[in-house]
Amino acid sequence: MISLRNVQPIDLEQLLFIENEGFSIEEAATKEAFLERIQLISDTFILAEKEGEILGYINGPIINQPYITDNLFKEIKENPKSGGYQSVLGLAVSKQARNQGIAKILIEKMEKLVEENEREGITLTCKNELVSFYEKFGFVNHGMSESKHGGVSWYNMV
């Protein structure tokens, strides 16, 4: 049985391992970025776990515009109680837990939080090969992002 919960500081090492499995060195969040997210946005940093092992996570701050900008990867603020857009800076599933629907469970949990807190929607950026993956969940491709995070071309998905 997979359970969902908010992040805690003790999760840091497992999170860094999964992050580095899923993203290149240039794209991966740093330990400092994770510490800041754990401290400031634990309300929108959700983990999927089974028997105490973290299988995957989704996280991101609430922002005032529909698109992610590169500065978010460097500095975030605490989430307002309501309104804004839920950004997704990271969605990752550990290698041994992939293809089990965990990303879907995490996205659905974020959708519930968006409804409960009267947000405008969810926004994320992804590489070209993941556009169709996110479209399956109802995201709409808004074209190329201005983001150059990790030196890669990204698409705005809302």
Side-chain angles (χ1 to χ4, degrees):
M1 175 82 186
I2 294 169
S3 60
L4 299 177
R5 66 172 174 84
N6 293 84
V7 72
Q8 297 168 347
I10 196 168
D11 301 320
L12 182 63
E13 294 306 319
Q14 277 190 81
L15 295 174
L16 286 169
F17 184 81
I18 296 169
E19 179 81 358
N20 290 308
E21 271 187 337
F23 296 98
S24 72
I25 296 292
E26 295 78 23
E27 298 161 20
T30 62
K31 183 175 185 175
E32 294 72 28
F34 265 136
L35 285 168
E36 184 179 52
R37 292 178 199 175
I38 291 167
Q39 183 187 348
L40 295 176
I41 60 163
S42 64
D43 56 325
T44 56
F45 196 143
I46 311 299
L47 310 181
E49 69 178 359
K50 187 176 185 177
E51 295 162 12
E53 183 184 356
I54 298 171
L55 304 177
Y57 57 84
I58 191 168
N59 71 75
I62 304 303
I63 59 176
N64 293 324
Q65 72 274 2
Y67 302 132
I68 289 173
T69 52
D70 282 347
N71 63 320
L72 284 177
F73 293 97
K74 297 175 187 72
E75 186 184 355
I76 58 169
K77 297 179 181 76
E78 284 187 38
N79 291 327
K81 294 285 178 238
S82 66
Y85 283 85
Q86 173 66 62
S87 72
V88 175
L89 298 185
L91 169 60
V93 175
S94 71
K95 279 196 172 142
Q96 76 270 19
R98 290 185 186 156
N99 302 310
Q100 296 176 31
I102 292 166
K104 180 178 194 269
I105 293 167
L106 289 164
I107 290 169
E108 287 171 350
K109 174 63 177 173
M110 224 31 135
E111 288 172 347
K112 280 190 190 119
L113 290 174
V114 163
E115 284 174 30
E116 288 167 14
N117 297 299
E118 300 172 356
R119 312 281 186 212
E120 304 282 327
I122 303 177
T123 182
L124 57 84
T125 56
C126 69
K127 292 185 238 180
N128 189 40
E129 61 268 22
L130 287 172
V131 168
S132 62
F133 172 80
Y134 286 108
E135 285 175 338
K136 284 190 294 199
F137 298 111
F139 284 86
V140 176
N141 183 351
H142 285 216
M144 292 297 294
S145 169
E146 290 178 18
S147 175
K148 296 291 173 231
H149 180 70
V152 178
S153 292
W154 301 91
Y155 288 82
N156 286 314
M157 303 295 291
V158 181

